[in-house]
């Protein structure tokens, strides 16, 4: 608990959501600790109570959203044999692609401190792209055993191609292309899963 009795995870999410609103509304350059706390209706210094500065805050926002996507990918295990394989994977891919506003991604990439913090956390095992790949690969293997994915399908290669491509799109897409994401992911999963039913 924080000194004011607010649960830190709740406060973190409140600040993260506020930061996303600021960036979506006013652009990445508008995101400051004051802008985030004002938007979150928190005391002005509260962000610095829990984060060393705006770089760590931005990095932790990115890591939190990647962890959320990794959890969504982990839920594929409960979908084996249900729905379409292509549809199940497309849902996970879209969740990752929509996990962060393109401007937040740009901010995290262009602030050296945020980029370094994010990379070090992922290297240390924070849930991210590796966890997503493993979940997708395990899901495809389970569906192959059920006969819903073609025998001989290289689950590891497909999971790498899917997560890697979505990662690329996440890091490079422009805000004006967001509306086309669903079609892009549908085409991608169709190509990768030509033998799936």
């Amino acid at each position: 608990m924080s000194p004011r009795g607010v649960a830190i995870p709740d406060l973190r999410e409140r600040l993260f959501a506020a930061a996303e609103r600021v960036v979506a509304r006013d652009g990445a350059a508008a995101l400051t600790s004051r802008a985030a706390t004002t938007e979150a209706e928190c005391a002005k210094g509260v962000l610095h109570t829990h984060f060393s500065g705006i770089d760590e805050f931005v990095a932790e926002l990115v890591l939190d959203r990647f962890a959320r996507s990794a959890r969504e990918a982990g839920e594929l295990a409960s979908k084996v044999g249900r729905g379409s394989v292509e549809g199940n994977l497309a849902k996970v891919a879209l969740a990752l692609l929509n996990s962060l506003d393109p401007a937040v991604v740009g901010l995290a990439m262009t602030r050296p401190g945020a980029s370094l913090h994010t990379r070090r956390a992922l290297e240390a095992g924070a849930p991210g792209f590796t966890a997503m790949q493993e979940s997708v690969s395990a899901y495809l293997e389970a569906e192959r055993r059920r006969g819903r994915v073609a025998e001989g399908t290289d689950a590891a290669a497909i999971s790498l191609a899917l997560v890697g491509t979505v990662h690329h799109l996440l890091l490079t897409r422009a805000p004006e292309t967001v509306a086309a994401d669903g079609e892009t992911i549908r085409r991608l999963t169709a190509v990768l899963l030509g033998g799936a039913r």
Side-chain angles (χ1 to χ4, degrees), residues 52-125:
S52 63
I54 195 71
D55 282 347
E56 182 184 348
F57 174 72
V58 168
E60 289 294 326
L61 166 58
V62 170
L63 290 165
D64 180 84
R65 294 334 188 213
F66 286 168
R68 184 183 290 177
S69 295
R71 286 192 298 275
E72 177 116 16
E75 291 172 10
L76 281 169
S78 68
K79 297 178 179 169
V80 174
R82 297 172 38 216
S84 73
V85 175
E86 185 178 315
N88 290 338
L89 288 185
K91 184 178 177 192
V92 167
L94 273 173
L96 172 57
L97 191 55
N98 293 321
S99 63
L100 287 163
D101 185 290
V104 173
V105 175
L107 188 61
M109 289 174 55
T110 57
R111 295 187 68 97
S115 178
L116 180 62
H117 184 93
T118 303
R119 190 174 75 247
R120 284 181 174 164
L122 290 171
E123 287 170 353

Side-chain angles (χ1 to χ4, degrees), residues 15-191:
L15 287 167
F16 290 160
E20 290 175 316
R21 290 193 301 273
V22 168
V23 170
R25 183 182 63 233
D26 304 321
L31 183 60
T32 62
S33 58
R34 181 172 291 221
T37 53
T38 298
E39 182 73 22
E41 299 179 343
C42 295
K44 288 185 177 32
V46 76
L47 186 144
H48 292 283
T49 302
H50 301 290
F51 303 94
S52 63
I54 195 71
D55 282 347
E56 182 184 348
F57 174 72
V58 168
E60 289 294 326
L61 166 58
V62 170
L63 290 165
D64 180 84
R65 294 334 188 213
F66 286 168
R68 184 183 290 177
S69 295
R71 286 192 298 275
E72 177 116 16
E75 291 172 10
L76 281 169
S78 68
K79 297 178 179 169
V80 174
R82 297 172 38 216
S84 73
V85 175
E86 185 178 315
N88 290 338
L89 288 185
K91 184 178 177 192
V92 167
L94 273 173
L96 172 57
L97 191 55
N98 293 321
S99 63
L100 287 163
D101 185 290
V104 173
V105 175
L107 188 61
M109 289 174 55
T110 57
R111 295 187 68 97
S115 178
L116 180 62
H117 184 93
T118 303
R119 190 174 75 247
R120 284 181 174 164
L122 290 171
E123 287 170 353
F129 303 107
T130 300
M132 292 175 224
Q133 278 179 236
E134 290 169 354
S135 292
V136 169
S137 186
Y139 168 72
L140 287 170
E141 287 289 351
E143 291 288 25
R144 184 188 54 74
R145 288 191 295 273
R146 283 181 171 250
R148 291 181 7 119
V149 171
E151 233 8 90
T153 294
D154 189 337
I158 290 175
S159 64
L160 175 62
L162 180 66
V163 175
T165 302
V166 175
H167 180 213
H168 166 74
L169 293 172
L170 179 65
L171 296 179
T172 61
R173 71 180 177 161
E176 62 269 16
T177 66
V178 171
D181 287 347
E183 177 59 16
T184 299
I185 295 300
R186 188 199 66 72
R187 288 167 50 215
L188 175 63
T189 53
V191 167

